[in-house]
């Protein structure tokens, strides 16, 4: 089963390139304002390999377990006071990784979503499951 990452209305003549139905344009179009410079650190071959390896998984459960293995739950480093209206503080943060030819590299959340061609909602569901597992260990 194959799903597309995202489809752009740009054509090959406009500078877009298609990989098995998923259209990738320039790095700036995919991820803007990334402090980690994720797409600059990854080679084009690594990006294609990450995408194709992920969609080579036969079932959604295999894909989900693969994605969960690439997400790390970390404690919040610093909390700042929030005015006079107290909000529910965030209990954990997440670090996202990809596995490529040069090893395991940390990437931003946007790059993680784009490289694997998944939605924010799917990752939110997986991270909430990771949080439940983390809380059960305590």
């Amino acid at each position: 089963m194959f799903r597309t990452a995202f489809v752009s209305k740009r054509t090959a003549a406009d500078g877009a390139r298609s990989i098995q139905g998923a259209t990738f344009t320039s790095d700036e179009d995919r991820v803007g304002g990334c402090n980690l410079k994720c797409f600059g650190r990854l080679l084009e071959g690594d990006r294609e390999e990450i995408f194709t390896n992920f969609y080579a998984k036969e079932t959604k459960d295999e894909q989900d377990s693969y994605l969960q293995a690439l997400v790390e739950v970390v404690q919040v480093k610093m909390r700042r006071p929030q005015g006079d209206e107290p909000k529910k503080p965030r209990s954990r943060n997440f670090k996202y990784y990809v596995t490529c030819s040069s090893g395991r590299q940390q990437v931003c959340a946007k790059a993680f979503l784009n490289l694997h061609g998944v939605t924010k909602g799917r990752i939110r569901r997986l991270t909430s499951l990771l949080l439940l597992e983390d809380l059960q260990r305590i």
Side-chain angles (χ1 to χ4, degrees):
M1 183 172 103
F2 177 77
R3 288 189 266 175
T4 59
F6 59 91
V7 178
S8 173
K9 292 185 180 181
R10 300 173 92 184
T11 63
D14 295 332
R17 191 167 59 78
S18 179
I19 301 173
Q20 296 183 3
T23 304
F24 292 103
T25 56
S26 68
D27 293 344
E28 293 79 23
D29 290 342
R30 286 184 273 179
V31 178
C34 174
N35 292 334
L36 295 174
K37 307 288 187 230
C38 301
F39 282 103
R41 290 184 295 133
L42 293 171
L43 300 173
E44 188 65 31
D46 289 340
R47 296 179 209 166
E48 293 174 12
E49 181 183 343
I50 291 166
F51 185 80
T52 54
N53 285 345
F54 174 69
Y55 281 104
K57 308 280 186 240
E58 292 184 9
T59 64
K60 185 175 181 287
D61 291 336
E62 288 177 4
Q63 290 178 351
D64 287 349
S65 61
Y66 172 78
L67 290 174
Q68 279 183 324
L70 296 174
V71 177
E72 180 183 330
V73 181
V74 293
Q75 294 286 340
V76 175
K77 288 185 181 178
M78 179 186 286
R79 297 185 191 278
R80 295 190 175 105
Q82 296 292 324
D84 50 339
E85 286 187 33
K87 296 180 182 177
K88 181 181 175 188
R90 184 183 307 182
S91 61
R92 305 281 192 277
N93 285 337
F94 302 99
K95 287 185 178 181
Y96 301 94
Y97 296 91
V98 293
T99 305
C100 56
S101 62
S102 60
R104 187 172 155 136
Q105 290 189 359
Q106 184 178 354
V107 294
C108 67
K110 276 187 176 182
F112 187 79
L113 294 174
N114 285 327
L115 286 168
H116 293 98
V118 296
T119 63
K120 196 183 285 189
R122 185 171 179 183
I123 297 300
R124 188 179 304 124
R125 180 179 59 82
L126 295 174
T127 54
S128 66
L129 291 172
L130 282 173
L131 281 177
L132 285 175
E133 290 175 7
D134 193 40
L135 293 174
Q136 289 175 353
R137 278 189 254 146
I138 295 176

